[in-house]
Amino acid sequence: MRPLSRPVQALITWTVILPLVLIVSAVTAPLTAEWPDPLRTALTITVVVPLAVFWGVPTLAKAVQRRRGVSRDVVNAACSAPLSVADSSEQGR
């Protein structure tokens, strides 16, 4: 399976993060109206980053790969779990 190009990866990341930031900011705004901006931003980042990294970006990347004609089994096998540090060091041997 050919990996996604860097521009496509960047577009996928932006496409996931922008709506998440807007939604989380809108939902938390009434609760954090009196908070200083850095603290509100920290809360938004704390919610958005894990959602984007563990759910949004992988889901959209898989959809893009499937749209490119790569079979679901190949995409799921390639995107199922990232390599751990131990796995990646053993592959270099």
Side-chain angles (χ1 to χ4, degrees), residues 17-51:
I17 288 179
L18 178 65
L20 284 175
V21 166
L22 294 174
I23 290 167
V24 170
S25 295
V27 168
T28 60
L31 304 171
T32 60
E34 300 299 319
W35 293 16
D37 285 340
L39 198 53
R40 284 196 321 238
T41 302
L43 175 66
T44 301
I45 290 170
T46 301
V47 173
V48 167
V49 170
L51 282 173

Side-chain angles (χ1 to χ4, degrees), residues 1-4 9 12 53-66 68 70-83:
M1 176 174 69
R2 198 173 85 227
L4 296 172
Q9 290 177 15
I12 288 170
V53 169
F54 294 111
W55 172 75
V57 172
T59 300
L60 189 54
K62 286 179 185 181
V64 168
Q65 286 287 34
R66 286 194 305 267
R68 294 168 84 192
V70 179
S71 76
R72 183 179 299 269
D73 294 335
V74 172
V75 171
N76 288 337
C79 299
S80 61
L83 292 174

